[in-house]
Amino acid sequence: MGEEPGIVHPRGNLPPLSLHVPEPKFRPGDAVDFADVPIPPAGAARRPDTAEPARDFTELAYSMVRVLDENDQAVGTWNPRLSPDTLRRMLRHMATVRAFDERMFRAQRQGKTSFYMKSLGEEAVAVAAAHALDAEDMCFPSYRQQGLLIARGCPMVDMMNQIYSNTGDKLQGKQLPIMYSEKRFGFFSISGNLTTQYPQAVGWAMASASKGDTRIAATWCGEGSTAEGDFHSALTFATVYRAPVIFNVVNNQWAISSFSGFAGAEATTFAARAVGYGIAGLRVDGNDALAVYAATAWAAERARTNAGPTLIEHFTYRTEGHSTSDDPTQYRSAGEPNAWPLGDPIRRLKDHLVAIGEWDEARQADMDREVAEQVKAAQKEAEKNGVLGHGLRQPLDSLFDGVFEEMPWHLREQRQMMIDEETASGRPWDRT
């Protein structure tokens, strides 16, 4: 005989249900100890053949690809064996990104722009990947991969013009500062809506494959954004069609003010997302430029040989605030950045070059001064086009440009109304 509907029968032998609410280990004022963060030794992870089925190396989604060891030597099968000249170029690009970030951060504090986002501590994620990819491969970045542009040779003046939204801004002030768009350098328009770039990258990669091209796509998001639906939609399409795309998840431990546990970090790694989709997954030391390069080059070869997509989790740390609008001291311990066990990516690459006899502290100091002067000179040039609040912005009627391939009728009417009113008043529209 069935139970009567609506009747709740007590189960006195069962504990009440409860929910787990993730909580970071350290809060403001706490002492920090990352001793329980598992850091496998450099060189321990095996490097499978790029044609090997993803199901045969799922352990790489839970361990960590590392190349630079505690003696600053490159070890193991993932060692990309790059020339000293290439290593020095990567070091210079990372140093340039850091100098660029610092000067633009100060510019925001001086009121010259409204917003900025640093990549301090994460420079290797973008710069090393840029060196490993072909120049014609298409990048679909998030908002902390300015290193891609600098490594690919984008003029810093152009980047600064966009940050200032001045008369030299090719985007005509239509994008939030730091949300660049550079077709010349294979850098797709950044969107403030998180992870929209993932399905865009898959679509571009599928189109490239459909046309029989050889170019692949690479895309980046933060670990918090893996909770977005776009992330999973993109992986589904990439899995089904074996799209030639590299998914990069930058696990810098914090998504604005919520720590990585809210995106699932307490349960497993972010690279393990790949296992459920049946694609290749790598977990990489994101502060090891050689490991990032090696993993990206491996994934690029896999994509280019029709072996399918790869998801790379870059295990790193966001050293400063999420943006200039954020105060990390309100939600995390001030001791975290210095206690992070994987160190500083620039220092680690510099120490490696020193250890192999291809660099020294004096040349490092000279390089730092030189890139700082280059960034300063670019800033002076960009500021000739104006900064925030100086009135040197785009003409108001330019707001109609570059939005639609063919302007719809209602916008044509509005634009004409603006012109008519300007003519009737005998004065130009206020362009400030």
Side-chain angles (χ1 to χ4, degrees):
M1 186 173 179
E3 296 181 352
E4 295 180 46
I7 302 298
V8 178
H9 294 272
R11 294 177 173 86
N13 61 329
L14 295 178
L17 295 172
S18 64
L19 291 174
H20 169 67
V21 179
E23 179 68 23
K25 289 189 63 177
F26 313 113
R27 284 297 193 183
D30 291 345
V32 177
D33 183 3
F34 283 120
D36 63 339
V37 175
I39 306 294
R46 79 177 184 95
R47 185 185 186 279
D49 187 274
T50 53
E52 190 171 332
R55 63 178 176 272
D56 291 349
F57 52 86
T58 56
E59 77 281 358
L60 294 178
Y62 302 95
S63 56
M64 191 180 298
V65 174
R66 304 184 67 221
V67 173
L68 293 174
D69 68 9
E70 287 66 28
N71 297 315
D72 305 313
Q73 297 295 325
V75 298
T77 57
W78 283 96
N79 178 9
R81 304 187 186 281
L82 300 175
S83 69
D85 284 343
T86 299
L87 294 175
R88 282 189 285 265
R89 283 194 297 271
M90 288 170 56
L91 181 65
R92 186 181 186 89
H93 286 149
M94 288 199 291
T96 302
V97 173
R98 186 164 294 185
F100 183 94
D101 278 354
E102 185 56 36
R103 187 156 285 273
M104 291 296 95
F105 178 86
R106 292 205 307 269
Q108 191 278 335
R109 291 296 190 248
Q110 294 165 353
K112 294 179 178 180
T113 186
S114 59
F115 184 78
Y116 194 73
M117 301 181 80
K118 281 186 174 184
S119 60
L120 185 66
E122 302 176 36
E123 293 90 352
V125 170
V127 169
H131 280 261
L133 293 168
D134 286 351
E136 292 186 345
D137 292 336
M138 191 67 181
C139 295
F140 292 77
S142 184
Y143 39 60
R144 217 181 296 275
Q145 279 78 57
Q146 51 265 52
L148 293 171
L149 285 175
I150 287 176
R152 285 187 163 187
C154 181
M156 288 186 286
V157 172
D158 289 350
M159 296 171 68
M160 292 173 176
N161 285 336
Q162 195 281 325
I163 292 167
Y164 289 141
S165 297
N166 59 26
T167 55
D169 177 13
K170 297 176 182 178
L171 304 184
Q172 299 179 310
K174 291 183 174 70
Q175 276 275 50
L176 186 71
I178 62 84
M179 294 193 175
Y180 314 101
S181 178
E182 274 291 356
K183 186 176 181 179
R184 297 173 298 170
F185 301 100
F187 189 97
F188 198 79
S189 306
I190 295 175
S191 171
N193 298 317
L194 301 182
T195 327
T196 56
Q197 67 273 20
Y198 259 57
Q200 292 165 350
V202 173
W204 192 96
M206 290 173 63
S208 182
S210 296
K211 292 185 295 185
D213 206 337
T214 58
R215 296 174 296 169
I216 66 172
T219 184
W220 288 258
C221 76
E223 85 286 344
S225 299
T226 62
E228 295 281 341
D230 280 346
F231 175 87
H232 298 281
S233 296
L235 264 66
T236 297
F237 271 86
T239 299
V240 171
Y241 295 102
R242 294 185 186 173
V245 60
I246 303 172
F247 298 110
N248 295 280
V249 176
V250 185
N251 179 10
N252 63 15
Q253 315 305 313
W254 290 93
I256 308 184
S257 59
S258 61
F259 89 114
S260 58
F262 280 99
E266 292 181 338
T268 186
T269 68
F270 291 98
R273 302 278 198 276
V275 176
Y277 284 97
I279 65 176
L282 303 176
R283 193 163 181 255
V284 175
D285 179 347
N287 288 16
D288 179 345
L290 273 67
V292 173
Y293 181 101
T296 305
W298 182 90
E301 181 180 336
R302 190 174 177 85
R304 242 180 278 281
T305 54
N306 296 310
T310 300
L311 189 155
I312 304 174
E313 175 190 349
H314 302 270
F315 197 62
T316 182
Y317 187 82
R318 195 194 77 211
T319 302
E320 293 195 3
H322 177 74
S323 71
T324 50
S325 304
D326 176 44
D327 180 5
T329 64
Q330 298 299 306
Y331 55 82
R332 73 183 189 190
S333 171
E336 283 193 24
N338 291 331
W340 183 245
L342 294 178
D344 177 88
I346 293 179
R347 180 191 58 77
R348 288 177 65 187
L349 182 55
K350 181 261 295 183
D351 288 349
H352 171 59
L353 277 163
V354 171
I356 63 175
E358 294 289 345
W359 201 241
D360 55 53
E361 296 294 345
R363 281 191 281 181
Q364 178 72 27
D366 289 341
M367 183 190 71
D368 286 340
R369 281 191 295 270
E370 186 175 336
V371 298
E373 286 301 316
Q374 289 176 343
V375 173
K376 182 179 179 181
Q379 182 184 27
K380 287 185 176 180
E381 187 64 26
E383 290 182 359
K384 292 178 182 178
N385 297 317
V387 298
L388 182 70
H390 282 193
L392 297 173
R393 304 182 190 174
Q394 299 290 335
L396 184 60
D397 56 5
S398 69
L399 64 89
F400 297 96
D401 299 333
V403 180
F404 295 93
E405 184 176 3
E406 290 188 21
M407 190 182 300
W409 65 268
H410 66 284
L411 290 186
R412 290 199 302 270
E413 282 192 358
Q414 291 177 31
R415 186 175 196 174
Q416 189 59 49
M417 288 171 61
M418 176 187 294
I419 294 171
D420 292 345
E421 185 170 339
E422 185 179 55
T423 302
S425 66
R427 59 179 178 79
W429 279 75
D430 181 1
R431 297 182 175 183
T432 61

